[in-house]
Amino acid sequence: MQDIILRVEDLQAQFDTTDGVVKAVNHVSFDVPRGTTLAITGESGSGKSSVALAIMGLLPYPGRVTGGKIYFRDRDLLTLKGEELRKIRGREIAIVFQDPSTGLNPVLSIGDQVEEIIRTHQPVSRREAKKMSIEVLGQLGLPDPEEIVRRYPFQLSGGMAQRVMIAIATALNPSVLILDEPTSALDVTVQAAILEDMTQLQERHGTSIILISHDLGVVAQMADSVAVMYAGEIAEYADAATLFRSPRHPYTASLLASRPRPDQESRGRLAAIKGAPPSLIDLADECAFLPRCHKATSECRSEPAPKLLPVGPAAAHVAACYNPMYREDEGTAARRSA
Ligand SMILES: Nc1ncnc2c1ncn2[C@@H]1O[C@H](COP(=O)(O)OP(=O)(O)O)[C@@H](O)[C@H]1O
Ligand SMILES: [Mg+2]
């Protein structure tokens, strides 16, 4: 039996705006076993950050969770209050956002900021907290941490600042670390180094990671399993090897096909899939991907949106599609087992 640390069940979240209700998260479910990485990917606006923020209880107004459950071990975070909740969010579940410059306090030294978070959650002396912060900064590959703790945020490069943010998030050794596009603002070399540090951190502490990234290269490097989001829903879910080898949902296949390759001219250009995602206000009953889908059948046009169903042969491979894709070499065996 896998040890499930975080379980999201049928999560729904929306933003009640003056233009209408933005249905940002629609019936999203997934498990995160201990010590593994779940990647959530998909185009901008598909609801990835909203899932993360809902887990952290940080959905900004006018956003709110309207349904579902978020279990940390066996406790549903959506039913907990006050001190009980604070002990879990921030300490057991921590988050790192894309832009490190917004996360650090410009008038406090790095040391003060890391020590503060340690001392808010743990009864240790200033000296111990200082020792711990130097240790955790060193573990994250920051050179000369004794010197770094004396610096102020403006004296750090983007990559260093993001490492400090990760240090702050991991100082308390959380069970779950949520990384929301953690390296998207950084150059490729720094990005690779930080991801490598994350992998080591995970191996050392058995941390479960939810990695949000629209970059399939990053997803391929880090993920054990992958959830592909489209219009606030999970369109496809599988272990990473299966998803990259045998995408079933035409959306996943298009994402993979439009991924920039290092050996091609298109390097660095944004992945382009024809058409745009639908507005999440007044979502139609039909499949949200229908207007952009090259595989649509008459069923897709006449039936309500498809549900996530097994599309094997890999266990736990599911896709929400009436006409999932199979490679020629898979023949009919794969279909039959699905
Ligand atoms: N503060 C907000 N107010 C209104 N709508 C929002 C807000 N934040 C996000 N949304 C909407 O929710 C949807 C999902 O956004 P988000 O979770 O940020 O997607 P992603 O992280 O995949 O880019 C989008 O349609 C976005 O416009
Ligand atoms: Mg986002």
Side-chain angles (χ1 to χ4, degrees):
M1 261 291 279
Q2 271 183 322
D3 184 7
I4 304 295
I5 302 296
L6 190 79
R7 162 167 289 166
V8 170
E9 257 179 40
D10 200 32
L11 183 65
Q12 295 148 65
Q14 66 187 41
F15 294 92
D16 302 314
T17 73
T18 45
D19 295 331
V21 175
V22 179
K23 296 208 163 176
V25 181
N26 302 314
H27 306 283
V28 164
S29 302
F30 55 76
D31 288 346
V32 188
R34 180 173 191 279
T36 68
T37 298
L38 165 74
I40 303 180
T41 192
E43 287 164 296
S44 175
S46 55
K48 306 181 298 295
S49 295
S50 297
V51 169
L53 294 169
I55 295 171
M56 292 306 293
L58 291 175
L59 271 177
Y61 179 83
R64 62 196 174 96
V65 170
T66 51
K69 296 184 162 61
I70 301 171
Y71 290 104
F72 175 75
R73 301 187 194 278
D74 54 356
R75 330 271 313 266
D76 179 3
L77 299 183
L78 298 176
T79 63
L80 296 185
K81 290 206 176 66
E83 189 53 26
E84 255 188 324
L85 192 56
R86 264 194 300 280
K87 270 197 208 144
I88 297 179
R89 284 180 175 149
R91 172 162 193 166
E92 291 280 8
I93 310 178
I95 188 163
V96 175
F97 297 105
Q98 171 172 353
D99 187 358
S101 61
T102 58
L104 292 170
N105 184 333
V107 301
L108 289 180
S109 73
I110 301 307
D112 284 345
Q113 300 189 50
V114 184
E115 283 163 36
E116 186 191 319
I117 186 88
I118 291 174
R119 296 196 69 203
T120 326
H121 290 276
Q122 276 176 346
V124 293
S125 69
R126 279 212 70 163
R127 260 183 69 183
E128 278 171 288
K130 183 161 187 199
K131 203 170 137 245
M132 286 166 73
S133 30
I134 291 174
E135 219 171 79
V136 61
L137 290 168
Q139 280 181 357
L140 276 160
L142 279 158
D144 200 1
E146 279 95 347
E147 191 264 329
I148 299 264
V149 292
R150 287 197 293 270
R151 290 202 201 173
Y152 287 81
F154 74 90
Q155 296 169 310
L156 301 179
S157 68
M160 285 167 116
Q162 189 60 311
R163 280 198 165 91
V164 169
M165 289 307 297
I166 294 172
I168 289 173
T170 54
L172 305 162
N173 194 11
S175 312
V176 180
L177 180 61
I178 304 178
L179 303 166
D180 189 353
E181 307 276 5
T183 57
S184 303
L186 307 174
D187 74 58
V188 187
T189 345
V190 179
Q191 164 174 312
I194 289 184
L195 294 177
E196 177 54 34
D197 291 337
M198 292 294 91
T199 307
Q200 283 181 17
L201 184 96
Q202 179 169 58
E203 280 165 10
R204 227 174 7 248
H205 298 294
T207 315
S208 304
I209 295 178
I210 298 179
L211 173 71
I212 295 175
S213 179
H214 66 275
D215 182 334
L216 290 167
V218 169
V219 171
Q221 183 186 338
M222 297 290 289
D224 294 295
S225 54
V226 184
V228 178
M229 284 191 73
Y230 191 79
E233 295 171 18
I234 293 183
E236 182 162 10
Y237 174 90
D239 69 86
T242 299
L243 189 105
F244 281 93
R245 196 177 50 232
S246 315
R248 300 296 193 219
H249 198 293
Y251 178 59
T252 312
S254 310
L255 277 184
L256 289 174
S258 57
R259 160 186 184 199
R261 301 278 173 83
D263 54 329
Q264 284 172 7
E265 283 283 302
S266 62
R267 191 188 158 104
R269 217 185 289 155
L270 272 182
I273 301 175
K274 263 199 206 142
S279 156
L280 300 183
I281 301 175
D282 301 323
L283 269 175
D285 291 338
E286 62 194 20
C287 171
F289 190 58
L290 179 60
R292 303 170 80 185
C293 189
H294 63 284
K295 293 269 294 167
T297 64
S298 54
E299 190 179 15
C300 308
R301 298 194 170 80
S302 58
E303 295 297 311
K307 300 212 173 342
L308 276 174
L309 289 174
V311 285
H317 188 182
V318 289
C321 181
Y322 288 118
N323 190 21
M325 301 168 67
Y326 292 85
R327 291 192 319 269
E328 256 163 46
D329 63 305
E330 288 181 309
T332 48
R335 288 164 204 254
R336 237 180 279 121
S337 72

